[in-house]
Amino acid sequence: MTSPDPTPPVPRAALDAALADILDAPADAGTIAMLVRRPALLEREQLDAGRLDTDSGLVGDTWSVRPSRRTPDGSPHPGMQLTLMGTRVADAITGGDRDRWALAGDQVFVDLDLSEDNLPVGTRLQVGQALVEVSDQPHTGCAKFGQRFGADALRFISTPQARTARLRGVNVAVVASGAVAVGDTVVRLS
């Protein structure tokens, strides 16, 4: 994963064609389709099950040791402890190749409407046995995202509509620790 992904990127027309399905994700409850932990820089490990922790995020993930430009002292940002990404977006940008979803760098892939309208800042979600809260920290695309999925994918998730719909995903903080597993439900609580 240290070099750009050689897989041809999905063209913008195909991404635009997927938008209606993406925006039709369930609003109240969804299912975890994939869990990914980042044990080291540029490494991904798919999990069948894991634990979300109030101190470390996804146990075994490097969030707790990654510096942040969004904190005054460079420490990990508590509002960026965990990221959820919509499965329908992941499917669109990878051309349906689930083996490439983990390249996005998100930890929880869920079929759920992650939009600002559906999950305003402060919304709590039951994720498996854990509880998370939607952060005010935006989750946006970066150069690495463009390298891995192509310039069209980066532009697709960066439009004003895409940002409001949170096509790139949403940052959350773990507020109650608990076990999570692929197949668990994610339920909007408030």
Side-chain angles (χ1 to χ4, degrees):
M1 290 183 36
T2 57
S3 61
D5 189 341
T7 306
V10 176
R12 180 63 187 260
L15 296 170
D16 289 339
L19 186 58
D21 180 58
I22 291 168
L23 297 177
D24 197 35
D28 296 323
T31 304
I32 297 173
M34 185 179 287
L35 289 170
V36 179
R37 130 171 98 198
R38 305 162 303 174
L41 188 63
L42 300 175
E43 290 184 17
R44 305 288 188 269
E45 180 183 13
Q46 289 186 38
L47 307 172
D48 292 326
R51 181 166 179 77
L52 300 184
D53 181 79
T54 56
D55 293 325
S56 59
L58 177 60
V59 173
D61 186 77
T62 57
W63 166 81
S64 63
V65 297
R66 288 178 178 229
S68 175
R69 293 186 302 253
R70 296 186 190 177
T71 57
D73 63 357
S75 63
H77 195 293
M80 300 172 72
Q81 200 173 39
L82 191 69
T83 58
L84 281 61
M85 184 172 188
T87 58
R88 296 169 189 227
V89 177
D91 219 33
I93 64 170
T94 63
D97 185 352
R98 283 180 61 114
D99 291 337
R100 296 183 62 233
W101 286 13
L103 292 173
D106 303 292
Q107 295 101 334
V108 181
F109 291 81
V110 61
D111 189 24
L112 185 70
D113 175 0
L114 302 176
S115 71
E116 292 176 2
D117 288 341
N118 193 50
L119 303 178
V121 170
T123 299
R124 291 197 169 190
L125 301 164
Q126 184 79 41
V127 180
Q129 295 177 357
L131 183 65
V132 302
E133 184 174 287
V134 174
S135 168
D136 64 350
Q137 296 299 304
H139 187 42
T140 58
C142 62
K144 289 185 287 188
F145 186 92
Q147 289 172 343
R148 293 172 183 158
F149 302 110
D152 281 349
L154 183 58
R155 284 190 289 273
F156 177 70
I157 58 109
S158 299
T159 67
Q161 178 188 16
R163 287 182 185 212
T164 300
R166 292 194 182 119
L167 297 190
R168 179 58 192 95
V170 64
N171 283 308
V172 299
V174 180
V175 295
S177 302
V180 293
V182 171
D184 281 354
T185 57
V186 176
V187 180
R188 182 182 67 190
L189 299 177
S190 61

